[in-house]
């Protein structure tokens, strides 16, 4: 167990509101430390991060924010972000997935989408979603912890790397991780008890070593990821299939919302951009407009 050298904290607090000092060391960081005489340690330096995933600090009831929403770093030095979803129970929600993908893209991370509980799919929905995301260029793996389908593929994707796992409660994160790494023995079917009260400075993710050179970062307290620091005019860059159209729009300030001569809107009409993705885009655009981000 390590504590943090006091000087460190002070230097950081000068730069940021001290409420948020926890962000300067986060899960996944490489640190230097020294031993104390009692065998405990003290962190003396933090290596520069290769990358990090963050979100807008969630609103906490009763807390005053003076208008701004700050960045909360969730983890650093991540090779894969595994976004877990399920076909049913809970019902697949592409808007939640797309919102997460925006965070992943804006942080330049590698996404792996998992669509779990395909044993519950009697109508071929999962294959349709699979095709849709594959056509965009994403890796998407269909799994079932009941039949074992897809488990080996997922395992192969994450071996010898550091993977962050995120999914809404109930999608089967614990079941999947237990199947891939039995030593983890997460409890199945337990809604994680997480209270937002008083925990807004705590990053509730945990890194676990599961095999040689293989690490997972579990995110039990992270219910939602609100993309941080994204401007309205930049959002389109994080919908990767919009890329080949955005420079062709009539106005270079186009937000692809209603503007005349918008090539993104034309591409949606022609079926070159999938409607559901465009709808996700509009929704997120809306939430950016409502926030004071900067
Ligand atoms: P978590 O909240 O994401 O960690 O989800 P759990 O692993 O605790 O699973 C929630 C519920 O979904 C449990 O009742 C599991 O048995 C069930 N479940 C998990 N994976 C599957 C699956 O592939 N198919 C079906 N039908 N049920 C699953
Ligand atoms: Zn446009």
């Amino acid at each position: 167990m390590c504590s943090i050298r006091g000087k460190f904290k002070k230097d950081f607090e000068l730069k940021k509101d001290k409420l948020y000092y926890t962000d300067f060391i986060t899960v996944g960081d490489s640190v230097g430390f020294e031993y104390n005489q009692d065998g405990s340690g003290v962190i003396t330096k933090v290596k520069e991060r290769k990358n990090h995933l963050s979100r807008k600090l969630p609103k906490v009831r009763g807390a005053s924010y003076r208008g701004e929403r700050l960045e909360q770093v969730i983890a650093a030095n991540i090779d894969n972000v595994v976004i877990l979803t399920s076909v049913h129970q809970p019902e697949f929600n592409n808007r939640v997935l797309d919102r997460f993908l925006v965070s992943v893209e804006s942080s330049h991370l590698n996404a792996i989408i998992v669509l779990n509980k395909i044993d519950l799919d009697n109508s071929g929905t999962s294959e349709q979603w699979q095709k849709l995301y594959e056509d965009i260029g994403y890796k998407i793996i269909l799994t079932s912890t009941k039949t074992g389908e897809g488990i080996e593929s997922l395992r192969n994707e994450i071996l010898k790397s550091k993977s962050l796992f995120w999914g809404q409660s109930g999608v089967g994160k614990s079941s999947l991780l237990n199947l891939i790494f039995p030593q983890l023995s997460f409890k199945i079917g337990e809604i994680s008890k997480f209270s937002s009260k008083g925990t807004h400075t705590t990053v509730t993710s945990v890194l676990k070593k599961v095999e040689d050179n293989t690490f997972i970062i579990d995110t039990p307290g992270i219910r939602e990821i609100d993309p941080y620091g994204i401007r309205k005019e930049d959002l389109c860059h994080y919908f990767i299939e919009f890329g080949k159209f955005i420079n062709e729009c009539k106005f270079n300030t186009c937000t692809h919302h209603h503007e005349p001569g918008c090539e993104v809107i034309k591409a949606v009409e022609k079926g070159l951009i999938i409607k559901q993705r465009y709808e996700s885009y509009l929704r997120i655009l809306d939430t950016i407009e409502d926030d004071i981000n900067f």
Side-chain angles (χ1 to χ4, degrees):
M1 288 295 276
C2 284
S3 58
I4 299 163
R5 181 160 282 172
K7 179 181 168 333
F8 236 18
K9 272 191 198 169
K10 275 215 194 75
D11 288 352
F12 197 77
E13 281 169 13
L14 290 177
K15 279 190 254 153
K16 279 202 166 185
D17 189 318
K18 67 174 172 219
L19 260 180
Y20 307 108
Y21 67 82
T22 49
D23 289 358
F24 78 99
I25 302 183
T26 193
V27 173
D29 270 329
S30 289
V31 301
F33 71 100
E34 287 164 9
Y35 280 109
N36 294 319
Q37 286 197 327
D38 65 1
S40 66
V42 56
I43 293 174
T44 52
K45 60 172 184 260
V46 183
K47 264 210 194 157
E48 203 179 320
R49 292 171 187 159
K50 160 175 103 173
N51 59 40
H52 70 271
L53 180 69
S54 60
R55 65 170 173 175
K56 238 184 271 173
L57 195 72
K59 287 191 179 114
V60 176
R61 232 183 329 158
S64 98
Y65 280 98
R66 303 187 304 276
E68 84 274 43
R69 298 272 300 278
L70 293 164
E71 178 180 26
Q72 182 182 47
V73 178
I74 291 167
N77 303 318
I78 309 159
D79 299 311
N80 305 302
V81 177
V82 184
I83 310 170
L84 303 173
T85 66
S86 55
V87 197
H88 300 299
Q89 301 173 14
E91 203 67 19
F92 180 77
N93 183 336
N94 70 298
R95 292 184 303 275
V96 172
L97 170 59
D98 290 337
R99 182 170 274 275
F100 208 103
L101 284 171
V102 166
S103 293
V104 172
E105 292 299 338
S106 69
S107 306
H108 311 288
L109 299 170
N110 180 47
I112 300 171
I113 304 166
V114 173
L115 182 49
N116 189 34
K117 307 201 186 183
I118 54 167
D119 56 291
L120 300 177
D121 181 11
N122 303 317
S123 57
T125 337
S126 39
E127 280 86 6
Q128 285 167 17
W129 286 115
Q130 182 181 35
K131 181 169 181 339
L132 194 152
Y133 282 97
E134 269 175 1
D135 286 350
I136 296 169
Y138 285 111
K139 173 156 285 288
I140 170 163
I141 304 172
L142 306 191
T143 60
S144 165
T145 65
K146 304 291 171 194
T147 67
E149 211 173 322
I151 305 297
E152 202 51 36
S153 315
L154 178 56
R155 184 182 152 82
N156 289 334
E157 286 297 327
I158 60 175
L159 281 183
K160 310 287 173 226
S161 63
K162 199 188 276 174
S163 306
L164 181 137
F165 277 73
W166 181 84
Q168 290 196 316
S169 178
V171 295
K173 174 159 61 81
S174 311
S175 310
L176 279 163
L177 284 169
N178 284 350
L179 264 186
I180 302 174
F181 305 111
Q183 75 273 28
L184 285 172
S185 60
F186 283 115
K187 289 210 175 79
I188 310 289
E190 273 216 341
I191 308 286
S192 64
K193 290 181 197 68
F194 176 77
S195 140
S196 63
K197 206 176 156 200
T199 57
H200 61 290
T201 57
T202 313
V203 178
T204 51
S205 36
V206 192
L207 178 111
K208 294 178 196 223
K209 183 175 180 180
V210 282
E211 276 179 28
D212 274 354
N213 293 318
T214 306
F215 300 87
I216 62 146
I217 298 171
D218 186 26
T219 56
I222 312 285
R223 286 185 180 166
E224 291 181 339
I225 301 262
D226 247 348
Y228 169 79
I230 293 174
R231 289 171 220 254
K232 238 175 25 162
E233 61 267 35
D234 291 335
L235 181 63
C236 58
H237 297 289
Y238 309 129
F239 279 77
I240 54 177
E241 74 274 35
F242 293 14
K244 48 181 178 238
F245 305 105
I246 52 184
N247 292 325
E248 308 300 321
C249 294
K250 187 169 171 196
F251 301 108
N252 61 8
T253 54
C254 191
T255 62
H256 325 296
H257 178 270
H258 60 272
E259 294 88 341
C262 174
E263 290 298 318
V264 171
I265 296 176
K266 275 185 213 156
V268 177
E269 282 160 1
K270 286 188 208 149
L272 300 173
I273 289 175
I274 303 297
K275 222 182 160 122
Q276 290 97 325
R277 287 275 290 172
Y278 181 62
E279 282 163 5
S280 289
Y281 170 79
L282 290 179
R283 271 189 187 234
I284 301 172
L285 192 68
D286 239 23
T287 62
I288 294 178
E289 282 173 309
D290 292 339
D291 265 353
I292 309 159
N293 248 324
F294 298 98

